[in-house]
Amino acid sequence: MENTLRDRSSDKMSFQAPDRRLILAHIGFAFIAFLIGAIAGLVQALERTGYITLPSNIGYYQLLTAHGVSMALIFTTFFIIGYLYSGLAKTLGGKLLPSANLVAWIGFYMMVIGTLLGLAMIITNDASVLYTFYAPMKASPIFYIGLALVVIGSWLSGVAIFMNYYKWRKQHPGETSPLFAFMSVATMVLWLICTVGVAIEVVFQLIPWSLGWTDKVNVELSRTLFWYFGHPLVYFWLLPAYIYWYVNIPKIIGGKIFSNSLPRLTFLLFILYSIPVGFHHQLMEPGVSSFWKFLQVVLTMIVVIPSLMTAFAIIATFELAGRSKGATGLFGWFKKLPWKDVRFVATFLGMLIFIPAGAGGVVNASFQMNQVVHNTLFITGHFHITIAAAVILTFFAISYWLVPALRNRQLTPFANQLGLIQSWLWTIGILIMSTSMHIVGVLGEPRRTSFTTYNHHPIADVWSPYRLFTGVGSILLFISSVLFLITIVYLWFFAPKAESAVDYPIGEVDAEQPKPPAILERWSVWIGITVALVLIAYTIPVIHMIQHAPSSPPIRSW
Amino acid sequence: MFKNIHLPRYERIWLTIGAISLVVFLVILGVLAVGLGLQPPGQMKTVPPEQVRTNAPFNKPNLVQVGPNEYKATMVAQMFSYLPDQLEVPAGSTIHFEITSPDVVHGLYVPNTNVNIMVVPGHVAEFTYTFKHPGDYLMLCHEYCGSGHQMMMGKLKVV
């Protein structure tokens, strides 16, 4: 901490007032969604583990929908967009383009209105369809319209990011773009390509059908469109965390960015191989032939390569930083990491948990092993150690300095200390909860199921001891959530004002690194390859579905 | 085209090991799938959801013996039960499941076995499994299907 919290020489930042307002609006809204998601998460966890009974006017599946939508769709999207704007402002010359900010605000309000419509329908119990909203279960049309507004609003955020990047490139011909900006564009390219799927599903299938304009919906096609979006969605959460690891963390630990080219290549590989892979979420269902399932399993597994590249780069950055501070021996550098700086520790805990999480992901996507775990609590455990650990712990780490930076305040040692306690508490909670979910999932407990003993069936009785761990884990996570929000409120309103410009840690590329090849920034090439892969992986099975899959009328089953 | 990208020696070794493991892993999956026929459930048969209750074979869901130690379970998963919801076979029997839904998406999952099937309306899901060990198995719905989802179950007895 001595070195890092006080090392305030080269990463000063003074946000412009309009940029400040824009970014704060996004992350502030994200924190409200986080609060709703945390409350719903705790209550549903205690219900499903049998510790509490809900009042008759609140449904378990209603709470689960609220938890999933608030956390996975709303909190993440708003936070990510806010964070990307902040890094663009920092790395593209200190401020955002006013014209792009106008687009960004329109996008923001569309997303806010969409969120409010969606949440209203969840509250009135007209949309207890979970955040995957599988047809032919039919929610209120207002719920689908709300979701469409969120997606289309987020496209405008993407446009705003592209505008900033495009302007910079025009003003700096022949130069390599800053790594943060490149990665932001890559994240939004991924997002725009993948959300086309869910937009088609919602706008052309679900909205007209829920309004009664069409009688029936092609269920298998809607599921395929959903998962075409649903898998890259997790990379949309993950890539901003990777941005933090690649770009911000080197500065925080007093190191340099390991390479200027490899991280770019890594992100491009994530675009290519996270989209044409949705069938690995549909391995257990009819209507898609084995050949196409297997092809997409192979494409899915290729993400192992950029993941290994990332692991190597992060650890190499740690080691080089440690050695530059005089570390010796094979692992001496480990001790040189800033173990008392929440900006590092929170995200480091997430990185650590991400190692078994990646291995679990390989299990899930395996053609045959998926049969053992599909739709069991193993899956829920898996995505709680990915999104709800690796990603969210990184978002905590970002929040602890970004909020005071935007509010022109200081991350005080007191807040840093609270943040450390909060991050460790979250880590312990998520490990207790998710480990028990993984185990009890292999023992057969299904996910997304309200409390039940299946008439005291002996198979289900085996699961009951694990409920204690899931319940305790969820309570620790909730306490940690509250502590996080309290600390954020302190940093937002009460922390002492910064004397001058605030910190915005952005790593510098090692001076010896060669200039990245221009091909890495020729987006038409990468988008073209992505589209080609999508067409190869999806065209034939989708045409088959359109021609052969029967359609279903709407049903409200809750 | 990528000449400028400098890949350190250790990273080359790391990625080579990773890539080789990946290829070996995928080859194993492929051999299991093609060579041993270990495929996830699926199949391409369809049946319109409104005809499930009226047309054969799903209008008379049942378990019939089709050979020595071989059974066919023709099943319907509906809100919030299975038809039939009690199956009994001798140990060592192979059951060919065929199952569909007249309403929303359901699942058919038998914990401690590899029977893990998504039941999508409009489609017939098929899967074959041999129950070697006697016991009281539980059939349960593992895809959220509505307010009674947690009650949707059946029993499978292997004697």
Side-chain angles (χ1 to χ4, degrees):
Chain A
M1 187 155 99
E2 301 75 58
N3 272 332
T4 52
L5 276 187
R6 296 186 212 299
D7 176 18
R8 294 184 170 168
S9 46
S10 59
D11 35 44
K12 293 296 177 194
M13 175 70 187
S14 288
F15 283 100
Q16 304 289 307
D19 301 349
R20 197 187 293 271
R21 275 197 300 276
L22 177 72
I23 300 163
L24 282 170
H26 282 82
I27 60 177
F29 196 82
F31 294 145
I32 295 169
F34 179 79
L35 175 64
I36 297 169
I39 295 169
L42 174 73
V43 180
Q44 68 80 25
L46 294 180
E47 195 283 342
R48 91 156 276 153
T49 47
Y51 291 105
I52 59 167
T53 312
L54 295 174
S56 60
N57 54 352
I58 300 177
Y60 169 79
Y61 300 105
Q62 187 183 7
L63 282 171
L64 191 57
T65 308
H67 176 61
V69 170
S70 318
M71 287 298 202
L73 302 181
I74 304 305
F75 163 68
T76 50
T77 305
F78 277 86
F79 187 88
I80 288 165
I81 291 168
Y83 168 57
L84 297 185
Y85 287 152
S86 80
L88 288 183
K90 164 72 183 166
T91 60
L92 296 184
K95 63 185 173 100
L96 297 171
L97 278 183
S99 54
N101 278 3
L102 179 66
V103 178
W105 275 114
I106 298 171
F108 173 79
Y109 282 112
M110 284 180 77
M111 294 198 295
V112 168
I113 293 167
T115 303
L116 296 178
L117 291 177
L119 282 180
M121 291 304 103
I122 295 171
I123 290 167
T124 58
N125 198 25
D126 288 313
S128 295
V129 289
L130 308 188
Y131 79 98
T132 43
F133 48 89
Y134 291 139
M137 243 187 237
K138 188 196 73 91
S140 157
I142 297 171
F143 177 74
Y144 300 122
I145 292 168
L147 290 178
L149 283 172
V150 172
V151 169
I152 296 166
S154 75
W155 289 351
L156 295 183
S157 318
V159 169
I161 285 170
F162 298 154
M163 286 168 76
N164 279 292
Y165 170 81
Y166 181 75
K167 180 79 187 284
W168 188 93
R169 288 205 54 196
K170 276 197 87 171
Q171 288 173 339
H172 301 77
E175 285 183 43
T176 306
S177 65
L179 195 52
F180 194 109
F182 176 91
M183 290 175 157
S184 304
V185 170
T187 305
M188 276 301 171
V189 165
L190 171 105
W191 181 246
L192 263 71
I193 296 175
C194 81
T195 44
V196 167
V198 73
I200 293 173
E201 182 201 1
V202 170
V203 174
F204 292 104
Q205 287 195 290
L206 301 182
I207 291 178
W209 169 74
S210 64
L211 286 166
W213 298 346
T214 52
D215 299 338
K216 291 182 176 182
V217 70
N218 184 330
V219 174
E220 190 53 28
L221 181 64
S222 75
R223 295 171 67 80
T224 300
L225 288 168
F226 182 85
W227 284 114
Y228 163 85
F229 149 81
H231 191 70
L233 168 66
V234 308
Y235 281 92
F236 174 69
W237 302 332
L238 191 59
L239 290 185
Y242 278 10
I243 296 178
Y244 187 62
W245 299 357
Y246 271 116
V247 184
N248 303 104
I249 281 291
K251 187 73 189 188
I252 291 170
I253 64 171
K256 290 260 195 274
I257 294 177
F258 175 66
S259 160
N260 200 7
S261 302
L262 291 172
R264 295 174 200 256
L265 184 59
T266 309
F267 269 56
L268 294 172
L269 290 174
F270 277 123
I271 297 178
L272 295 186
Y273 293 104
S274 68
I275 300 175
V277 301
F279 281 159
H280 76 248
H281 290 257
Q282 298 171 270
L283 291 175
M284 297 301 124
E285 68 195 55
V288 183
S289 76
S290 289
F291 174 81
W292 298 107
K293 288 178 180 171
F294 194 82
L295 177 77
Q296 295 207 3
V297 163
V298 173
L299 291 172
T300 306
M301 292 295 174
I302 296 177
V303 295
V304 166
I305 302 294
S307 307
L308 291 178
M309 288 166 75
T310 303
F312 189 94
I314 303 300
I315 297 170
T317 305
F318 289 175
E319 179 176 351
L320 292 173
R323 290 197 189 281
S324 75
K325 290 179 187 167
T328 53
L330 204 50
F331 293 109
W333 51 270
F334 196 71
K335 290 199 204 103
K336 298 281 183 184
L337 293 170
W339 293 112
K340 291 204 163 72
D341 184 344
V342 70
R343 302 174 305 168
F344 168 76
V345 172
T347 197
F348 180 83
L349 293 168
M351 293 174 186
L352 217 52
I353 300 175
F354 200 53
I355 297 169
V362 171
V363 171
N364 300 338
S366 301
F367 200 51
Q368 293 92 357
M369 269 191 286
N370 183 250
Q371 232 158 315
V372 182
V373 297
H374 174 74
N375 267 3
T376 68
L377 274 177
F378 186 93
I379 304 297
T380 319
H382 168 71
F383 64 71
H384 278 88
I385 57 173
T386 47
I387 167 73
V391 171
I392 209 172
L393 280 162
T394 301
F395 290 0
F396 292 152
I398 295 168
S399 305
Y400 283 127
W401 57 264
L402 185 56
V403 168
L406 289 163
R407 296 283 298 163
N408 219 13
R409 293 178 192 274
Q410 300 170 23
L411 168 56
T412 58
F414 168 68
N416 184 70
Q417 202 61 33
L418 282 181
L420 286 172
I421 295 167
Q422 184 267 329
S423 310
W424 278 101
L425 193 58
W426 186 277
T427 304
I428 295 164
I430 209 82
L431 284 177
I432 293 173
M433 187 180 84
S434 297
T435 307
S436 86
M437 283 177 169
H438 276 89
I439 297 171
V440 79
V442 172
L443 294 174
E445 183 163 7
R447 66 186 279 205
R448 301 180 144 183
T449 304
S450 132
F451 178 70
T452 175
T453 62
Y454 292 104
N455 294 337
H456 292 286
H457 196 282
I459 300 255
D461 282 347
V462 174
W463 307 330
S464 63
Y466 295 92
R467 296 192 165 135
L468 174 65
F469 296 100
T470 307
V472 167
S474 69
I475 292 171
L476 294 179
L477 289 168
F478 183 74
I479 296 171
S480 176
S481 305
V482 173
L483 189 53
F484 170 71
L485 290 172
I486 289 174
T487 313
I488 288 300
V489 167
Y490 167 75
L491 290 170
W492 195 298
F493 296 106
F494 305 107
K497 285 276 179 193
E499 320 82 54
S500 58
V502 293
D503 277 353
Y504 195 111
I506 285 283
E508 284 148 33
V509 179
D510 207 319
E512 289 164 28
Q513 285 293 328
K515 184 173 146 64
I519 181 85
L520 292 180
E521 226 151 342
R522 211 159 293 147
W523 293 100
S524 54
V525 172
W526 303 102
I527 294 170
I529 299 174
T530 307
V531 171
L533 283 170
V534 167
L535 291 177
I536 290 169
Y538 273 110
T539 305
I540 294 175
V542 164
I543 287 177
H544 189 275
M545 277 170 212
I546 292 171
Q547 289 176 339
H548 298 286
S551 295
S552 289
I555 295 167
R556 177 173 170 148
S557 57
W558 68 94
Chain B
M1 160 164 95
F2 293 112
K3 260 184 299 209
N4 261 343
I5 301 185
H6 168 64
L7 201 62
R9 194 166 77 93
Y10 284 116
E11 183 160 11
R12 260 201 313 271
I13 297 170
W14 164 254
L15 288 180
T16 307
I17 295 171
I20 292 172
S21 321
L22 180 62
V23 170
V24 170
F25 179 72
L26 289 172
V27 167
I28 292 172
L29 293 190
V31 168
L32 287 174
V34 179
L36 297 180
L38 294 180
Q39 307 269 357
Q43 311 310 326
M44 307 303 287
K45 273 191 222 162
T46 58
V47 50
E50 63 275 13
Q51 291 174 16
V52 169
R53 292 201 172 92
T54 52
N55 292 24
F58 292 103
N59 58 345
K60 291 198 180 77
N62 58 5
L63 176 75
V64 288
Q65 189 158 9
V66 292
N69 279 336
E70 216 171 330
Y71 294 80
K72 185 170 202 179
T74 302
M75 298 179 68
V76 172
Q78 61 185 13
M79 294 163 11
F80 299 102
S81 63
Y82 292 106
L83 302 173
D85 65 352
Q86 311 273 341
L87 305 180
E88 190 175 316
V89 293
S93 299
T94 298
I95 302 183
H96 304 285
F97 292 92
E98 57 171 4
I99 181 165
T100 190
S101 160
D103 43 56
V104 296
V105 179
H106 298 281
L108 174 67
Y109 176 48
V110 183
N112 302 333
T113 74
N114 284 344
V115 180
N116 187 326
I117 306 168
M118 295 298 297
V119 186
V120 181
H123 299 263
V124 180
E126 296 178 321
F127 189 66
T128 295
Y129 186 77
T130 302
F131 290 85
K132 293 194 181 109
H133 309 290
D136 283 324
Y137 291 86
L138 170 64
M139 300 188 290
L140 59 86
C141 178
H142 68 350
E143 183 58 84
Y144 168 60
C145 56
S147 52
H149 167 58
Q150 69 284 352
M151 298 182 300
M152 185 166 166
M153 64 177 286
K155 287 178 183 170
L156 197 162
K157 215 171 192 169
V158 179
V159 292

